Amino acid sequence: RIHPVVAFACVILAALIISGVYRCPFRLIFSFPCPFCGIIRASTCVIHGDFKTAFHFHPLWPLITAGVLIYIPYRLGIIKIPDRIFNAGAAVIGALILICYVIRIMTGTLV
C-alpha cells in the first residue's frame, strides 16, 4: 500500500508540474540539465499528439513512460513480476537513460 503522505505529495507534485510552477531541482542547483530534463515537456507534447517534438525534448519518453506505467501497478501488487526480472529491466532502462544523457551532452541536444 502507498502511504497517504506519499500519495498526497504525488498529487501536489502533479499539480505543480501541470501548472508550470515546478522546475527541475537538479537544474536549479547545478544550472545544468539532469538526465530526465525534457520528459515533462515531452509528455505534454504526447498528450497534444505532437510526437516529433516529444522526441526532441526527450528521445526516451516512450521507455520512461512505459517504466512508470509498469512500476505503479507492480508496487501496488496489481501485477506480479519476479524481482529478478523487474530489477534487470530497471537496470537496462537506467543504463539507456545514462547513455542517452551522455550522447545528449556530447551533441549539445539537451533542452
Side-chain angles (χ1 to χ4, degrees):
R1 298 185 71 168
I2 295 179
H3 193 279
V5 173
V6 174
F8 180 72
C10 289
V11 169
I12 296 298
L13 181 60
L16 291 172
I17 289 169
I18 291 168
S19 69
V21 173
Y22 174 82
R23 297 288 180 251
C24 175
F26 186 92
R27 193 174 210 154
L28 285 173
I29 294 169
F30 300 109
S31 299
F32 196 75
C34 76
F36 294 98
C37 275
I39 195 68
I40 293 171
R41 288 173 284 175
S43 300
T44 303
C45 290
V46 169
I47 290 169
H48 290 97
D50 188 358
F51 296 96
K52 182 179 178 183
T53 305
F55 279 105
H56 167 75
F57 283 125
H58 203 293
L60 294 180
W61 70 263
L63 187 62
I64 295 168
T65 302
V68 169
L69 292 176
I70 291 170
Y71 178 76
I72 293 170
Y74 168 77
R75 288 293 295 164
L76 293 173
I78 296 169
I79 60 171
K80 305 290 185 203
I81 301 171
D83 288 339
R84 190 179 89 242
I85 292 172
F86 183 83
N87 292 339
V92 168
I93 291 172
L96 289 172
I97 289 169
L98 287 176
I99 291 167
C100 180
Y101 185 57
V102 169
I103 291 170
R104 292 173 78 199
I105 290 171
M106 292 173 61
T107 60
T109 56
L110 276 168
V111 289

